[in-house]
Amino acid sequence: MSAPGPVSSPLWISAFLDLAADEVERGSAFWAQVTGSTLSAVRGERHEFHTLVPPDGDDHLRVQRRDEGPSRVHLDLHVPDQATAAEHAVTLGAEVVRAADEGYVVLRSPGGLEFCFVGHPAETRSRPAVWPTGHRSQVDQLSIDVPARLLEPELGFWRDLTGWPLRRTAYEEFHLLEVPAGQPLQVLLQRLDDDATEVSVHLDLTTDDVGAELERHVALGARVLTRHDHWTVMTDPGGLRYCIAGDPPDDDVPA
């Protein structure tokens, strides 16, 4: 029997699109269309939250109106005991930003990336969306983008926080956390060799027909930034970066 993971090991991962106030309406509609999701009713004390509800399975993408600062992405780690998980994260080098009474804790990683411990239950992955052309796509990966000078502490932090093994990929700038089966998002850590000053996050979609998927996104208001052998860098209508990768989505999810 394998040893239990740390108290901060997530049962589920979700991503929050923190959209600037003047982009939230357009951005929410774009991401609902891109993912084939339904936008939930607004919630929160300031009516700042939406969920992107998939046709099946549990959600893993949500939207938050950000009243200050540009649009960005952050990750939520779903754990049974948010306070205990936060205490453990602090021993690994995290900083508590806000310990809220609403059932979540906001923290910063050693490299300054904000993330949350939350308690929302979820366990069933949604299936990839199938489009009229017959191709499929799905948001299935969260990339933590780390300036080179911050890479080693950040790699160690996320490995020890989640309790998941960390391995190199075929690309020297990428490390992948080996998430357990059934998680809705893979977690990639990417070394940035440009002049970035802080850790950030972007989303990756996977598809079995890159040409059809690119055409669909551009028609919805996205823009192509750069093309690589295996992925294309995009921006949504508000300028938030994400990537489309040419790998078949994983259909092996519980019925």
Side-chain angles (χ1 to χ4, degrees):
M1 181 180 297
S2 61
V7 294
S8 52
S9 184
L11 305 175
W12 189 258
I13 301 176
S14 56
F16 248 108
L17 292 149
D18 300 329
L19 301 180
D22 60 351
E23 292 294 338
V24 69
E25 184 174 351
R26 179 171 61 163
S28 297
F30 172 82
W31 284 99
Q33 291 174 296
V34 157
T35 58
S37 303
T38 301
L39 201 62
S40 75
V42 69
R43 65 183 187 280
E45 289 185 1
R46 295 181 291 107
H47 304 289
E48 70 269 43
F49 299 124
H50 288 285
T51 297
L52 295 173
V53 182
D56 62 89
D58 294 318
D59 71 85
H60 65 279
L61 296 173
R62 299 182 178 190
V63 176
Q64 175 176 221
R65 186 188 70 245
R66 194 176 189 207
D67 293 326
E68 295 182 9
S71 297
R72 66 178 187 182
V73 178
H74 82 261
L75 68 156
D76 281 2
L77 306 180
H78 299 228
V79 295
D81 186 333
Q82 298 82 58
T84 302
E87 290 174 2
H88 180 62
V90 169
T91 69
L92 299 175
E95 172 191 359
V96 173
V97 176
R98 183 168 69 253
D101 296 329
E102 293 88 347
Y104 64 91
V105 182
V106 183
L107 303 99
R108 284 195 190 95
S109 73
L113 179 66
E114 285 197 8
F115 67 98
C116 298
F117 284 123
V118 301
H120 310 298
E123 61 182 10
T124 304
R125 286 180 58 195
S126 58
R127 295 183 183 279
V130 181
W131 303 106
T133 61
H135 81 283
R136 299 172 302 145
S137 67
Q138 186 174 42
V139 174
D140 76 336
Q141 185 164 268
L142 184 150
S143 178
I144 300 175
D145 303 324
V146 188
R149 64 184 178 82
L150 301 173
L151 183 64
E152 289 306 318
E154 206 72 2
L155 288 175
F157 174 76
W158 291 103
R159 178 198 62 214
D160 296 342
L161 186 76
T162 61
W164 299 337
L166 185 71
R167 65 174 173 84
R168 291 182 179 274
T169 72
Y171 297 90
E172 65 175 15
E173 69 268 34
F174 296 140
H175 288 75
L176 192 67
L177 282 174
E178 296 183 358
V179 305
Q183 285 284 349
L185 293 168
Q186 301 296 312
V187 180
L188 185 75
L189 289 106
Q190 177 179 201
R191 186 192 71 228
L192 300 179
D193 294 322
D194 55 20
D195 57 357
T197 58
E198 59 184 21
V199 183
S200 59
V201 170
H202 76 261
L203 296 178
D204 293 336
L205 290 93
T206 188
T207 181
D208 52 11
D209 188 330
V210 172
E213 187 69 1
L214 286 174
E215 184 176 337
R216 193 175 68 85
H217 285 237
V218 170
L220 292 171
R223 186 164 61 93
V224 175
L225 285 187
T226 57
R227 297 175 187 261
H228 301 269
D229 289 343
H230 299 292
W231 68 89
T232 300
V233 183
M234 311 285 293
T235 64
D236 76 0
L240 188 66
R241 293 194 183 200
Y242 66 99
C243 293
I244 297 175
D247 295 311
D250 184 4
D251 244 334
D252 186 20
V253 298

